């Protein structure tokens, strides 16, 4: 058995080698230019001053962030910090944002972001929030599409490698998080060799508050100890179900590349969350102790709070009979995709060079008929023939992910053969194929995970680029490729480099977002405890060895800008309010020798950084964002006296104490 598998494995490896290194491929990339239709340039050209028609949100992978691009131009607008510190925006550096990165493991300054997904109403993307998962220290974040800032992060307990996440149901009822690694659940000290039967896989359903988007874990399923890879919600007729691919149903704990690929079939797990909701209402499940962070940003306080939660509702499959089934699916499937009608559930074979297409209608019938083929840990396994709609044989090598248009077509990426294949789901017929450069992972059609894909563009996200761009040392950029899919044949329009490694992306028509974008924070609504509403309120207060500076900034000065009475050994808090109430006028501030980042402060916002002066002297600070013609004049001084000196605290602007004249 093992040797057979090893030879298959070697075959796959050699295919990777041949495909990526064959000289013909390099020629292909050059001659590809000629293959571009003459008007491709026109199709991606967005004239200076004009706007793109779509937003694309590409995950940053190991950068931990989320990048915002315009389509069709491929222009990068913003990198939204989510799971990693970002000195450019002071995220994870300012006192107000540090709580966002707290976890049960303490402050974690880095994350691995994978799958963004936009909130939905009635099966269509609604442009309110975008969610994204963190794979390494399991978390889900919610980002506001008004402010383009991370507003909330919830940690997922009992989970490890939060990969089949973060997909949203069609009315944003739930967002799911699945575990890639099965682990002791709850965690405990035990021998790794005893994994089989003892580790479990957590599948977490997080309720989304319909008004504010706030996340709260509703329940956690304690599934068998397989690996769970990807997931998608049912929609339309299959709304109320969630589907997860599994691999390592062997429950191997070492040399996974061989030992987790022994079984000819793994499963897609079908989970009827509506039914589980009912069970929960009737008291199913058990509250179990857990430790997980819930961090929430407040746009009025301009501050995040961090809370540790202490329990979670755990449900064993045997508590919810009739709610969970396994659908046999070709070996180690990766992507798990559901078409816009909700009828077809597709397992992307990865190792099998084969796509398994299951039918939701057949699945329901099979359940009614009890067409079972045994069970796994008490979960019924449905008979393959009773649920399978068909197989798409050999469409390419290494199928990973599928998205859909509204015309009944699916588009699947093939990692090993580096191509996107368009096929008709109902007829199981390949219609078109197009090379990508190279080794494509996910692909994205705006609105792809919904009933109503916006099917003009397709973005392929490639893992390897080699010769596609100017070389930049050993690290070569990752790349996205834009296709026009409105015609019969896919048309390659554009390559653009990406931030980190884009695992997945979400896209939406620009109209859904652009008119509601936040322009300023109203000073009158600022409830930050150190906010100042005008210069007269600015001040410096000593509390023991802490010095709190309530400072303002406006074009083009700080108030106060001369401060004395600070001593070596003090901890100085700069609480800085940007008094501007105009769009696009942030100011920045930094202090010589501060062991933190600059602050970049939006109009109406208050933000804090700390500085612990080590040396006596007169030390400057300045505005870091070129804000006006007099930006270079926007600066100030702080006098630092020796420890124990009796220079009193004083603070002035142009020789006056701010606010004094009025009194
Ligand atoms: S995946 S390895 Cu989304 Cu294909 Cu993460
Ligand atoms: Cu304010 Cu530069």
């Amino acid at each position: 058995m093992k040797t057979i598998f090893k030879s298959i494995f070697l075959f796959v490896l050699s295919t990777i080698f041949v495909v990526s290194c064959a000289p013909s491929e390099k020629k292909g990339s050059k001659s590809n230019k000629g293959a571009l239709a003459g008007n491709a340039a026109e199709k991606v050209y967005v004239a200076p001053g004009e706007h793109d028609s779509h937003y694309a949100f590409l995950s940053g992978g190991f950068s931990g962030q989320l990048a915002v691009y315009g389509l069709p131009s491929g222009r990068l607008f913003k990198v939204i910090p989510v799971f990693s510190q970002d000195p450019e925006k002071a995220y994870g550096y300012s006192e107000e944002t540090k709580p966002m990165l707290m976890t049960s493991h303490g402050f974690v300054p880095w994350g691995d972001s994978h799958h963004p997904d936009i909130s939905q109403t009635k099966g269509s993307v609604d442009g309110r929030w975008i969610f994204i998962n963190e794979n390494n220290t399991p978390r889900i974040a919610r980002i506001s599409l008004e402010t383009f800032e991370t507003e909330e992060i919830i940690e997922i307990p009992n989970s490890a490698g939060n990969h089949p996440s973060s997909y949203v149901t069609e009315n944003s009822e739930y967002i799911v998080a699945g575990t890639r690694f099965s682990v002791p659940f709850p965690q405990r000290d035990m021998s790794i060799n005893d994994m089989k039967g003892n580790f479990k896989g957590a599948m977490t359903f997080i309720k989304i508050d319909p008004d504010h988007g706030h996340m709260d874990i509703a329940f956690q399923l304690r599934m068998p100890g397989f690996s769970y890879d990807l997931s998608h919600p049912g929609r339309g007729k299959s709304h109320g179900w969630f589907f997860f691919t599994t691999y390592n149903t062997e429950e191997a704990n070492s040399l996974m590349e061989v030992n987790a690929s022994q079984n000819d079939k793994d499963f897609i797990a079908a989970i009827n969350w509506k039914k589980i909701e009912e069970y929960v209402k009737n008291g199913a499940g058990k509250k179990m102790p857990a430790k997980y962070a819930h961090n929430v940003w407040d746009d009025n306080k301009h501050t995040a709070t961090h809370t540790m939660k202490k329990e979670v509702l755990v449900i064993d499959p045997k508590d919810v009979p009739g709610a969970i089934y396994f659908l046999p699916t070709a070996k180690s499937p990766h992507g798990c995709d559901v078409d816009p009608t909700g009828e077809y559930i597709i397992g992307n074979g990865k190792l099998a060079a084969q796509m398994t297409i299951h039918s939701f209608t057949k699945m329901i019938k099979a359940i009614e008929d009890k067409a079972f083929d045994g069970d796994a840990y008490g979960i019924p396994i449905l008979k393959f023939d009773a649920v399978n709609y068909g197989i798409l044989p050999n469409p390419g090598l290494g199928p990973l992910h599928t998205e859909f248009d509204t015309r009944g077509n699916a588009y699947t990426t093939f990692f090993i053969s580096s191509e996107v294949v368009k096929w008709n789901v109902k007829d199981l017929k390949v219609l078109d194929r197009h090379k990508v450069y190279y080794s494509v992972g996910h692909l994205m059609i705006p609105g792809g995970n919904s009933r109503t894909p916006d099917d003009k563009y397709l973005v392929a996200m490639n893992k390897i680029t080699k010769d596609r761009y100017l070389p930049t040392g050993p690290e070569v950029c990752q790349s996205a490729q834009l296709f026009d899919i409105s015609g019969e044949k896919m048309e390659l329009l554009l390559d653009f480099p990406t931030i980190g490694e884009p695992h997945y992306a979400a896209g939406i028509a620009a109209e859904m977002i652009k008119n509601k974008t936040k322009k300023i924070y109203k000073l009158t609504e600022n409830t930050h405890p150190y906010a100042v509403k005008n210069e007269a309120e600015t001040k410096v207060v000593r509390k023991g060895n802490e010095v709190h500076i309530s400072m303002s900034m406006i074009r083009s000065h700080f108030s106060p800008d001369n401060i004395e009475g600070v001593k070596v050994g003090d901890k100085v808090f700069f609480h800085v309010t940007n008094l501007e109430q105009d769009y696009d006028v942030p100011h920045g501030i930094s202090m010589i020798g501060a062991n933190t980042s600059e602050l970049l402060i939006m109009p109406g916002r208050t933000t804090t950084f700390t500085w612990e002066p080590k040396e006596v002297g007169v030390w400057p600070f300045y505005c870091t964002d070129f804000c006006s013609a007099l930006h270079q004049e926007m600066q100030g001084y702080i006098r630092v006296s020796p420890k124990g000196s009796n220079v009193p605290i004083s603070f002035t602007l142009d020789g006056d104490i701010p606010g004094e004249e009025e009194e």
Side-chain angles (χ1 to χ4, degrees):
M1 267 301 265
K2 276 196 179 171
T3 31
I4 293 176
F5 178 73
K6 268 189 186 147
S7 53
I8 294 175
F9 181 68
L10 284 178
F11 163 75
V12 171
L13 269 188
S14 63
T15 334
I16 298 174
F17 185 76
V18 169
V19 169
S20 26
C21 298
S24 61
E25 187 78 9
K26 292 212 166 160
K27 262 189 220 134
S29 75
K30 294 237 170 61
S31 63
N32 180 60
K33 230 183 251 169
L36 282 184
N39 61 349
E42 230 166 80
K43 288 188 174 174
V44 299
Y45 183 68
V46 177
E50 304 264 289
H51 287 174
D52 281 282
S53 63
H54 289 78
Y55 283 98
F57 300 90
L58 275 64
S59 82
F62 45 68
S63 86
Q65 318 295 46
L66 179 68
V68 188
Y69 293 83
L71 298 182
S73 72
R75 296 181 295 187
L76 172 67
F77 300 146
K78 181 172 187 169
V79 176
I80 303 173
V82 188
F83 297 113
S84 297
Q85 284 180 301
D86 177 9
E88 181 193 321
K89 298 179 181 70
Y91 182 83
Y93 289 96
S94 71
E95 296 305 304
E96 289 79 359
T97 54
K98 278 181 187 168
M100 293 300 285
L101 299 181
M102 290 302 293
T103 72
S104 63
H105 306 270
F107 183 76
V108 175
W110 173 86
D112 180 17
S113 60
H114 274 234
H115 307 123
D117 203 18
I118 297 170
S119 56
Q120 294 188 29
T121 304
K122 295 196 182 113
S124 295
V125 286
D126 61 17
R128 303 175 76 193
W129 308 295
I130 185 162
F131 299 86
I132 189 164
N133 61 317
E134 206 274 270
N135 202 38
N136 183 54
T137 303
R139 287 172 282 174
I140 303 271
R142 180 177 55 83
I143 293 143
S144 157
L145 290 179
E146 283 179 21
T147 61
F148 287 65
E149 288 184 356
T150 305
E151 286 193 328
E152 188 177 2
I153 294 181
I154 193 162
E155 192 178 0
I156 313 296
N158 301 316
S159 187
N162 177 34
H163 197 256
S165 319
S166 52
Y167 297 101
V168 183
T169 57
E170 71 173 28
N171 286 301
S172 305
E173 296 96 337
Y174 289 96
I175 183 152
V176 303
T179 199
R180 167 180 158 192
F181 300 91
S182 281
V183 287
F185 179 164
Q187 275 291 3
R188 63 186 182 279
D189 176 28
M190 62 174 278
S191 164
I192 301 169
N193 269 332
D194 295 337
M195 164 181 186
K196 198 165 187 159
N198 292 314
F199 286 13
K200 294 287 171 208
M203 219 118 270
T204 308
F205 284 73
I206 301 156
K207 192 93 196 128
I208 301 170
D209 175 293
D211 298 322
H212 308 102
H214 285 169
M215 300 183 284
D216 191 18
I217 295 179
F219 55 85
Q220 213 170 30
L221 288 175
R222 208 160 168 266
M223 295 285 284
F226 311 150
S227 286
Y228 298 86
D229 210 359
L230 276 152
S231 62
H232 266 97
R235 56 181 60 100
K237 62 171 82 167
S238 54
H239 178 58
W241 289 78
F242 227 104
F243 303 94
F244 292 84
T245 40
T246 71
Y247 64 108
N248 193 23
T249 49
E250 297 84 353
E251 296 178 73
N253 55 285
S254 186
L255 195 63
M256 298 282 286
E257 58 179 342
V258 174
N259 295 330
S261 310
Q262 298 300 308
N263 294 346
D264 182 47
K265 290 211 163 40
D266 292 291
F267 303 123
I268 285 178
I271 294 171
N272 185 339
W273 56 260
K274 274 213 170 139
K275 195 165 200 153
I276 297 175
E277 261 184 346
E278 283 303 310
Y279 277 116
V280 168
K281 265 191 209 133
N282 296 319
K286 212 172 59 214
K287 291 246 175 181
M288 282 178 59
K291 227 173 87 185
Y292 59 103
H294 185 211
N295 310 328
V296 184
W297 178 258
D298 181 325
D299 249 344
N300 293 324
K301 287 205 180 83
H302 298 281
T303 302
T305 49
H306 154 65
T307 330
M308 286 300 290
K309 297 239 183 178
K310 299 214 170 61
E311 48 173 34
V312 66
L313 181 67
V314 175
I315 292 171
D316 269 317
K318 63 172 176 5
D319 302 337
V320 291
I324 307 173
Y325 298 91
F326 283 135
L327 286 58
T329 299
K331 194 192 272 291
S332 299
H334 184 59
C336 180
D337 298 293
V338 179
D339 85 309
T341 68
E343 167 64 10
Y344 302 104
I345 303 133
I346 296 169
N348 299 267
K350 190 170 74 181
L351 295 182
Q354 175 179 98
M355 315 272 302
T356 310
I357 297 99
H358 293 311
S359 151
F360 180 73
T361 312
K362 284 184 82 175
M363 183 190 93
I364 295 299
K365 172 114 191 350
I367 293 170
E368 281 166 10
D369 296 350
K370 299 204 161 36
F372 301 148
D373 209 352
D375 70 283
Y377 295 101
I379 297 171
I381 300 170
L382 293 165
K383 286 205 166 100
F384 181 79
D385 290 330
V387 294
N388 186 252
Y389 175 75
I391 295 282
L392 188 62
N394 301 315
L397 284 175
L400 289 188
H401 300 281
T402 301
E403 297 252 312
F404 306 88
D405 64 19
T406 51
R407 304 179 296 272
N409 302 311
Y411 301 78
T412 301
T413 53
F414 291 83
F415 179 80
I416 296 172
S417 51
S418 283
E419 57 189 335
V420 175
V421 174
K422 172 181 176 180
W423 52 284
N424 184 281
V425 185
K426 219 174 184 174
D427 308 343
L428 298 175
K429 274 218 184 73
V430 170
L431 302 174
D432 187 23
R433 58 179 68 237
H434 203 297
K435 280 270 162 208
V436 287
Y437 304 92
Y438 309 91
S439 303
V440 59
H442 277 273
L443 74 173
M444 180 274 279
I445 292 172
N449 173 35
S450 82
R451 277 199 249 156
T452 53
D454 183 354
D455 47 10
K456 177 159 173 55
Y457 298 117
L458 179 158
V459 178
M461 283 154 271
N462 307 324
K463 306 290 186 190
I464 296 172
T465 50
K466 288 191 296 191
D467 52 4
R468 298 293 287 184
Y469 297 95
L470 284 175
T472 48
E475 198 207 357
V476 187
C477 65
Q478 318 248 353
S479 173
Q481 291 192 293
L482 180 74
F483 289 85
D484 180 341
I485 54 163
S486 56
E488 233 166 79
K489 296 274 169 201
M490 294 178 276
E491 188 190 346
L492 175 60
L493 300 179
L494 179 73
D495 283 17
F496 59 96
T498 58
I499 300 292
E501 179 194 352
H503 278 263
Y504 186 45
I508 187 169
E511 289 78 66
M512 297 294 293
I513 294 182
K514 69 177 189 186
N515 298 321
K516 58 169 197 183
T517 203
K518 184 104 176 162
K519 297 208 157 117
I520 60 161
Y521 297 96
K522 290 205 182 104
L523 259 186
T524 48
E525 291 169 5
N526 182 334
T527 55
H528 189 290
Y530 286 94
V532 293
K533 301 297 167 73
N534 51 58
E535 285 180 0
E537 291 178 16
T538 62
K539 61 184 178 203
V540 180
V541 177
R542 174 178 286 285
K543 292 181 193 156
N545 74 332
E546 287 188 357
V547 176
H548 290 267
I549 306 174
S550 301
M551 181 180 275
S552 68
M553 49 187 7
I554 196 162
R555 277 162 290 180
S556 296
H557 61 270
F558 295 97
S559 174
D561 64 1
N562 280 205
I563 297 168
E564 302 202 355
V566 170
K567 292 179 269 188
V568 172
D570 283 345
K571 184 167 185 179
V572 182
F573 291 77
F574 286 76
H575 307 283
V576 189
T577 303
N578 182 347
L579 296 179
E580 305 279 357
Q581 292 287 271
D582 286 338
Y583 184 37
D584 201 17
V585 197
H587 294 280
I589 182 170
S590 74
M591 182 76 220
I592 188 169
N595 304 128
T596 182
S597 75
E598 62 139 11
L599 300 180
L600 183 68
I601 309 177
M602 298 304 129
R605 172 166 278 176
T606 305
T607 313
T608 304
F609 77 97
T610 58
W611 178 55
E612 295 175 53
K614 311 268 184 318
E615 303 284 346
V616 299
V618 175
W619 302 106
F621 57 90
Y622 65 91
C623 174
T624 50
D625 184 53
F626 206 113
C627 50
S628 69
L630 295 169
H631 154 77
Q632 206 67 341
E633 280 72 13
M634 196 166 170
Q635 62 176 57
Y637 287 111
I638 295 191
R639 173 182 170 187
V640 177
S641 304
K643 226 183 182 127
S645 119
N646 48 20
V647 176
I649 288 284
S650 69
F651 53 97
T652 55
L653 173 64
D654 200 17
D656 295 326
I657 299 172
E660 280 263 283
E661 310 93 307
E662 283 89 0
E663 280 171 22

